[in-house]
Amino acid sequence: MAETNSQRIRLGLVGIGKIARDQHLPALAADDRFELTATASRNAQLDNVPGYPDVAAMIAGGHDLDAVSLCTPPDGRYEQAVIAIDAGLHVMLEKPPATTLTEIAALADRARAKGVVLFTTWHSREAAGVEPAKAWLQGKRVDAVRITWREDIRRWHPGQEWILAAGGFGVFDPGINALSIATKILPDPLLLDSGWMDVPEGGGSPLAAELKMRSGNASVDVVLDFLQTGTQTWDIEVDTDTGTLRLGMGGSILHLPGEEQQKAPDREYPRLYARFAELVAAGESDVDVRPLQIVADAFMMAERRIMAPFAF
Ligand code: NAP
């Protein structure tokens, strides 16, 4: 591993799929602190960037990498991260950071022992309304929280069979974004009381779920649906002693009581890479597993119901 404090971070991007193309590549291209040096993907390649079929081959390619950013599906990322950490590279993980809590704890230990940075990203926390929402809630009494995440799997994840396989998280793949925001803006932990999830026959992960939770004295009701056609909803409402805060469009629109709604350009991924650069410069990891813990709680406690088979 090379010294990175005063140089550009030579980065290998892993898993060239939808999110890599939509968000990671533009964010990297706009950030001088990074140099996209190589890619690893089983099939996909980029023009003008050396491409390899997997992380080990990319590292062996002689590019003197400093870091990798993993944009593959969560199942399999543990092995990719281990190879990178063992090679002395800093690692940035797409959400969800791993398929199990033990995997991410093991990665954190391994990164610490090796002296490299591990960053579990939660892109929705970087949405424009989230930080101001957290600030506004400070010191207020929270009475109730309603989370509604309804989207169409066929529209946003066409053909992504992995998402409904075991370890793909199903509707919790988008739902964990809501939980990442809730765990950031609410002062108290979210504790699960009950819930259910609908798993398609022959599938490994749910297409719909509802959770009843509490945070301090507030009730937290979560509705997740992956079969929503028509209007798509990614909303969080927080009732407080001074009115209801509304976060819409995945945290990007903030509506505070008595105020005009606030909206700002999407800077989620530029902010994630800026944070990664800061962490690398400081030699610090940022590993927050709270959203994943809630999903694990749901998979332990919620009633599983079998629904009709699903096909894309
Ligand atoms: P995707 O379009 O399926 O892309 C993932 C890429 O990883 C694939 O194109 C594939 O490229 C590679 N890959 C490696 N191992 C794989 C495997 N076992 N199964 C399938 N693909 C494999 O998925 P994505 O939507 O980019 O999502 C990737 C991660 O980003 C997920 O954790 C997701 O939660 C997160 N994310 C997605 C979005 C979104 O809007 N889609 C938004 C934010 C975060 P090769 O065939 O070349 O190997």
mmCIF file of all heavy atoms in Angstrom, residues 15-19 41-44 71-74 77 94-96 123 160 162 173 269, ligand 1:
data_model
loop_
_atom_site.group_PDB
_atom_site.id
_atom_site.type_symbol
_atom_site.label_atom_id
_atom_site.label_comp_id
_atom_site.label_asym_id
_atom_site.label_seq_id
_atom_site.Cartn_x
_atom_site.Cartn_y
_atom_site.Cartn_z
ATOM 1 N N GLY A 15 -17.537 -4.481 -9.349
ATOM 2 C CA GLY A 15 -18.969 -4.718 -9.594
ATOM 3 C C GLY A 15 -19.554 -3.617 -10.457
ATOM 4 O O GLY A 15 -20.206 -2.704 -9.972
ATOM 5 N N ILE A 16 -19.287 -3.714 -11.763
ATOM 6 C CA ILE A 16 -19.719 -2.626 -12.660
ATOM 7 C C ILE A 16 -21.157 -2.905 -13.099
ATOM 8 O O ILE A 16 -21.410 -3.485 -14.157
ATOM 9 C CB ILE A 16 -18.755 -2.494 -13.871
ATOM 10 C CG1 ILE A 16 -17.315 -2.338 -13.371
ATOM 11 C CG2 ILE A 16 -19.153 -1.299 -14.739
ATOM 12 C CD1 ILE A 16 -17.072 -1.142 -12.465
ATOM 13 N N GLY A 17 -22.091 -2.510 -12.273
ATOM 14 C CA GLY A 17 -23.519 -2.669 -12.567
ATOM 15 C C GLY A 17 -24.211 -1.330 -12.495
ATOM 16 O O GLY A 17 -23.610 -0.285 -12.768
ATOM 17 N N LYS A 18 -25.484 -1.369 -12.089
ATOM 18 C CA LYS A 18 -26.313 -0.158 -12.148
ATOM 19 C C LYS A 18 -25.771 0.977 -11.276
ATOM 20 O O LYS A 18 -25.571 2.087 -11.753
ATOM 21 C CB LYS A 18 -27.741 -0.509 -11.714
ATOM 22 C CG LYS A 18 -28.706 0.645 -11.840
ATOM 23 C CD LYS A 18 -30.141 0.191 -11.606
ATOM 24 C CE LYS A 18 -31.144 1.273 -11.973
ATOM 25 N NZ LYS A 18 -30.880 2.572 -11.404
ATOM 26 N N ILE A 19 -25.500 0.677 -10.008
ATOM 27 C CA ILE A 19 -25.121 1.778 -9.121
ATOM 28 C C ILE A 19 -23.710 2.272 -9.429
ATOM 29 O O ILE A 19 -23.420 3.469 -9.284
ATOM 30 C CB ILE A 19 -25.284 1.393 -7.628
ATOM 31 C CG1 ILE A 19 -25.347 2.656 -6.772
ATOM 32 C CG2 ILE A 19 -24.180 0.473 -7.150
ATOM 33 C CD1 ILE A 19 -26.494 3.558 -7.051
ATOM 34 N N SER A 41 -14.893 -6.878 -12.477
ATOM 35 C CA SER A 41 -16.274 -7.277 -12.675
ATOM 36 C C SER A 41 -16.235 -8.529 -13.538
ATOM 37 O O SER A 41 -15.406 -8.620 -14.445
ATOM 38 C CB SER A 41 -17.047 -6.146 -13.387
ATOM 39 O OG SER A 41 -18.388 -6.107 -12.998
ATOM 40 N N ARG A 42 -17.111 -9.489 -13.244
ATOM 41 C CA ARG A 42 -17.031 -10.771 -13.939
ATOM 42 C C ARG A 42 -17.204 -10.619 -15.442
ATOM 43 O O ARG A 42 -16.546 -11.284 -16.235
ATOM 44 C CB ARG A 42 -18.103 -11.732 -13.406
ATOM 45 C CG ARG A 42 -17.959 -12.085 -11.942
ATOM 46 C CD ARG A 42 -19.238 -12.713 -11.438
ATOM 47 N NE ARG A 42 -20.399 -11.904 -11.842
ATOM 48 C CZ ARG A 42 -21.660 -12.239 -11.625
ATOM 49 N NH1 ARG A 42 -21.949 -13.369 -11.023
ATOM 50 N NH2 ARG A 42 -22.641 -11.455 -12.021
ATOM 51 N N ASN A 43 -18.096 -9.710 -15.851
ATOM 52 C CA ASN A 43 -18.412 -9.549 -17.276
ATOM 53 C C ASN A 43 -18.166 -8.137 -17.799
ATOM 54 O O ASN A 43 -17.664 -7.958 -18.895
ATOM 55 C CB ASN A 43 -19.894 -9.891 -17.523
ATOM 56 C CG ASN A 43 -20.232 -11.286 -17.028
ATOM 57 O OD1 ASN A 43 -19.737 -12.267 -17.566
ATOM 58 N ND2 ASN A 43 -21.059 -11.374 -15.995
ATOM 59 N N ALA A 44 -18.542 -7.141 -16.992
ATOM 60 C CA ALA A 44 -18.529 -5.760 -17.494
ATOM 61 C C ALA A 44 -17.122 -5.172 -17.515
ATOM 62 O O ALA A 44 -16.278 -5.526 -16.692
ATOM 63 C CB ALA A 44 -19.434 -4.906 -16.623
ATOM 64 N N CYS A 71 -19.132 -2.403 -5.254
ATOM 65 C CA CYS A 71 -20.514 -2.115 -5.683
ATOM 66 C C CYS A 71 -21.211 -3.374 -6.150
ATOM 67 O O CYS A 71 -22.198 -3.305 -6.888
ATOM 68 C CB CYS A 71 -20.528 -1.134 -6.837
ATOM 69 S SG CYS A 71 -19.443 0.245 -6.670
ATOM 70 N N THR A 72 -20.702 -4.518 -5.745
ATOM 71 C CA THR A 72 -21.321 -5.798 -6.071
ATOM 72 C C THR A 72 -22.546 -6.005 -5.169
ATOM 73 O O THR A 72 -22.735 -5.266 -4.206
ATOM 74 C CB THR A 72 -20.307 -6.929 -5.822
ATOM 75 O OG1 THR A 72 -19.664 -6.661 -4.560
ATOM 76 C CG2 THR A 72 -19.253 -6.975 -6.907
ATOM 77 N N PRO A 73 -23.371 -7.022 -5.444
ATOM 78 C CA PRO A 73 -24.422 -7.361 -4.483
ATOM 79 C C PRO A 73 -23.799 -7.776 -3.155
ATOM 80 O O PRO A 73 -22.635 -8.207 -3.112
ATOM 81 C CB PRO A 73 -25.140 -8.554 -5.154
ATOM 82 C CG PRO A 73 -24.812 -8.428 -6.610
ATOM 83 C CD PRO A 73 -23.434 -7.854 -6.658
ATOM 84 N N PRO A 74 -24.547 -7.662 -2.040
ATOM 85 C CA PRO A 74 -23.933 -7.931 -0.728
ATOM 86 C C PRO A 74 -23.398 -9.356 -0.570
ATOM 87 O O PRO A 74 -22.368 -9.538 0.085
ATOM 88 C CB PRO A 74 -25.071 -7.648 0.269
ATOM 89 C CG PRO A 74 -26.317 -7.513 -0.536
ATOM 90 C CD PRO A 74 -25.919 -7.151 -1.925
ATOM 91 N N ARG A 77 -19.522 -10.074 -1.070
ATOM 92 C CA ARG A 77 -18.674 -8.922 -0.796
ATOM 93 C C ARG A 77 -17.657 -9.193 0.314
ATOM 94 O O ARG A 77 -16.568 -8.626 0.322
ATOM 95 C CB ARG A 77 -19.552 -7.742 -0.398
ATOM 96 C CG ARG A 77 -19.386 -6.603 -1.353
ATOM 97 C CD ARG A 77 -20.045 -5.389 -0.819
ATOM 98 N NE ARG A 77 -21.270 -5.122 -1.532
ATOM 99 C CZ ARG A 77 -22.362 -4.653 -0.954
ATOM 100 N NH1 ARG A 77 -22.380 -4.430 0.336
ATOM 101 N NH2 ARG A 77 -23.421 -4.404 -1.675
ATOM 102 N N GLU A 94 -20.609 -0.627 -0.525
ATOM 103 C CA GLU A 94 -21.994 -0.210 -0.787
ATOM 104 C C GLU A 94 -22.879 -0.750 0.335
ATOM 105 O O GLU A 94 -22.492 -1.635 1.089
ATOM 106 C CB GLU A 94 -22.470 -0.783 -2.139
ATOM 107 C CG GLU A 94 -22.611 0.214 -3.255
ATOM 108 C CD GLU A 94 -23.604 1.356 -2.980
ATOM 109 O OE1 GLU A 94 -24.349 1.323 -1.983
ATOM 110 O OE2 GLU A 94 -23.615 2.311 -3.764
ATOM 111 N N LYS A 95 -24.073 -0.210 0.436
ATOM 112 C CA LYS A 95 -25.011 -0.754 1.395
ATOM 113 C C LYS A 95 -25.778 -1.911 0.754
ATOM 114 O O LYS A 95 -25.886 -1.918 -0.470
ATOM 115 C CB LYS A 95 -26.004 0.299 1.904
ATOM 116 C CG LYS A 95 -26.673 1.183 0.846
ATOM 117 C CD LYS A 95 -27.559 0.623 -0.210
ATOM 118 C CE LYS A 95 -28.734 -0.203 0.154
ATOM 119 N NZ LYS A 95 -29.616 -0.446 -1.041
ATOM 120 N N PRO A 96 -26.273 -2.887 1.475
ATOM 121 C CA PRO A 96 -25.931 -3.227 2.862
ATOM 122 C C PRO A 96 -24.499 -3.746 2.894
ATOM 123 O O PRO A 96 -24.072 -4.421 1.953
ATOM 124 C CB PRO A 96 -26.927 -4.347 3.191
ATOM 125 C CG PRO A 96 -27.920 -4.391 2.053
ATOM 126 C CD PRO A 96 -27.224 -3.828 0.864
ATOM 127 N N HIS A 123 -25.834 5.605 1.637
ATOM 128 C CA HIS A 123 -25.969 6.790 0.776
ATOM 129 C C HIS A 123 -27.170 7.650 1.126
ATOM 130 O O HIS A 123 -27.122 8.878 1.002
ATOM 131 C CB HIS A 123 -26.005 6.368 -0.704
ATOM 132 C CG HIS A 123 -27.223 5.597 -1.100
ATOM 133 N ND1 HIS A 123 -28.377 6.208 -1.535
ATOM 134 C CD2 HIS A 123 -27.490 4.271 -1.106
ATOM 135 C CE1 HIS A 123 -29.279 5.271 -1.802
ATOM 136 N NE2 HIS A 123 -28.766 4.100 -1.556
ATOM 137 N N GLN A 160 -32.667 -8.200 -11.574
ATOM 138 C CA GLN A 160 -31.675 -8.426 -10.506
ATOM 139 C C GLN A 160 -32.124 -9.608 -9.631
ATOM 140 O O GLN A 160 -32.633 -9.429 -8.525
ATOM 141 C CB GLN A 160 -31.469 -7.159 -9.671
ATOM 142 C CG GLN A 160 -30.762 -6.052 -10.445
ATOM 143 C CD GLN A 160 -30.508 -4.803 -9.606
ATOM 144 O OE1 GLN A 160 -30.970 -4.690 -8.476
ATOM 145 N NE2 GLN A 160 -29.777 -3.857 -10.170
ATOM 146 N N TRP A 162 -30.504 -11.585 -7.915
ATOM 147 C CA TRP A 162 -29.811 -11.702 -6.628
ATOM 148 C C TRP A 162 -30.607 -11.072 -5.503
ATOM 149 O O TRP A 162 -30.501 -11.488 -4.343
ATOM 150 C CB TRP A 162 -28.408 -11.085 -6.717
ATOM 151 C CG TRP A 162 -28.355 -9.612 -7.043
ATOM 152 C CD1 TRP A 162 -28.158 -9.060 -8.275
ATOM 153 C CD2 TRP A 162 -28.494 -8.506 -6.136
ATOM 154 N NE1 TRP A 162 -28.169 -7.686 -8.189
ATOM 155 C CE2 TRP A 162 -28.375 -7.315 -6.878
ATOM 156 C CE3 TRP A 162 -28.706 -8.396 -4.761
ATOM 157 C CZ2 TRP A 162 -28.465 -6.040 -6.315
ATOM 158 C CZ3 TRP A 162 -28.789 -7.128 -4.191
ATOM 159 C CH2 TRP A 162 -28.668 -5.971 -4.968
ATOM 160 N N ASP A 173 -33.602 -4.363 0.757
ATOM 161 C CA ASP A 173 -32.512 -3.696 0.021
ATOM 162 C C ASP A 173 -32.809 -2.193 -0.089
ATOM 163 O O ASP A 173 -31.983 -1.377 0.336
ATOM 164 C CB ASP A 173 -32.293 -4.334 -1.356
ATOM 165 C CG ASP A 173 -31.228 -3.577 -2.142
ATOM 166 O OD1 ASP A 173 -30.039 -3.846 -1.944
ATOM 167 O OD2 ASP A 173 -31.593 -2.684 -2.930
ATOM 168 N N TYR A 269 -23.587 10.626 -3.496
ATOM 169 C CA TYR A 269 -22.338 9.879 -3.754
ATOM 170 C C TYR A 269 -21.097 10.769 -3.729
ATOM 171 O O TYR A 269 -20.053 10.347 -3.202
ATOM 172 C CB TYR A 269 -22.467 9.027 -5.033
ATOM 173 C CG TYR A 269 -23.232 7.761 -4.720
ATOM 174 C CD1 TYR A 269 -24.621 7.767 -4.631
ATOM 175 C CD2 TYR A 269 -22.574 6.579 -4.406
ATOM 176 C CE1 TYR A 269 -25.334 6.626 -4.281
ATOM 177 C CE2 TYR A 269 -23.269 5.429 -4.055
ATOM 178 C CZ TYR A 269 -24.645 5.458 -3.998
ATOM 179 O OH TYR A 269 -25.334 4.319 -3.626
HETATM 180 P P1 NAP B 1 -26.424 -4.707 -10.291
HETATM 181 O O1 NAP B 1 -26.943 -3.756 -11.306
HETATM 182 O O2 NAP B 1 -26.876 -6.121 -10.330
HETATM 183 O O3 NAP B 1 -24.848 -4.594 -10.355
HETATM 184 C C1 NAP B 1 -23.984 -5.352 -9.559
HETATM 185 C C2 NAP B 1 -22.868 -5.861 -10.434
HETATM 186 O O4 NAP B 1 -22.017 -6.642 -9.631
HETATM 187 C C3 NAP B 1 -23.364 -6.751 -11.539
HETATM 188 O O5 NAP B 1 -23.615 -6.018 -12.723
HETATM 189 C C4 NAP B 1 -22.262 -7.757 -11.713
HETATM 190 O O6 NAP B 1 -21.396 -7.370 -12.780
HETATM 191 C C5 NAP B 1 -21.488 -7.704 -10.416
HETATM 192 N N1 NAP B 1 -21.613 -8.950 -9.646
HETATM 193 C C6 NAP B 1 -20.617 -9.573 -8.986
HETATM 194 N N2 NAP B 1 -21.042 -10.665 -8.373
HETATM 195 C C7 NAP B 1 -22.349 -10.764 -8.634
HETATM 196 C C8 NAP B 1 -23.336 -11.713 -8.297
HETATM 197 N N3 NAP B 1 -23.061 -12.777 -7.527
HETATM 198 N N4 NAP B 1 -24.593 -11.510 -8.745
HETATM 199 C C9 NAP B 1 -24.893 -10.431 -9.507
HETATM 200 N N5 NAP B 1 -23.975 -9.498 -9.881
HETATM 201 C C10 NAP B 1 -22.715 -9.671 -9.446
HETATM 202 O O7 NAP B 1 -26.769 -4.197 -8.815
HETATM 203 P P2 NAP B 1 -26.815 -2.679 -8.310
HETATM 204 O O8 NAP B 1 -28.205 -2.169 -8.400
HETATM 205 O O9 NAP B 1 -25.732 -1.895 -8.908
HETATM 206 O O10 NAP B 1 -26.575 -2.948 -6.744
HETATM 207 C C11 NAP B 1 -25.298 -3.279 -6.239
HETATM 208 C C12 NAP B 1 -25.234 -2.800 -4.800
HETATM 209 O O11 NAP B 1 -25.465 -1.388 -4.784
HETATM 210 C C13 NAP B 1 -26.315 -3.418 -3.900
HETATM 211 O O12 NAP B 1 -25.804 -3.664 -2.633
HETATM 212 C C14 NAP B 1 -27.380 -2.335 -3.837
HETATM 213 O O13 NAP B 1 -28.104 -2.358 -2.620
HETATM 214 C C15 NAP B 1 -26.523 -1.075 -3.907
HETATM 215 N N6 NAP B 1 -27.262 0.091 -4.415
HETATM 216 C C16 NAP B 1 -28.036 0.011 -5.524
HETATM 217 C C17 NAP B 1 -28.778 1.120 -5.924
HETATM 218 C C18 NAP B 1 -29.651 1.108 -7.155
HETATM 219 O O14 NAP B 1 -30.365 2.080 -7.398
HETATM 220 N N7 NAP B 1 -29.646 0.086 -7.984
HETATM 221 C C19 NAP B 1 -28.717 2.297 -5.197
HETATM 222 C C20 NAP B 1 -27.856 2.361 -4.099
HETATM 223 C C21 NAP B 1 -27.145 1.243 -3.715
HETATM 224 P P3 NAP B 1 -20.608 -8.553 -13.546
HETATM 225 O O15 NAP B 1 -21.643 -9.444 -14.167
HETATM 226 O O16 NAP B 1 -19.754 -7.827 -14.535
HETATM 227 O O17 NAP B 1 -19.812 -9.269 -12.485
#
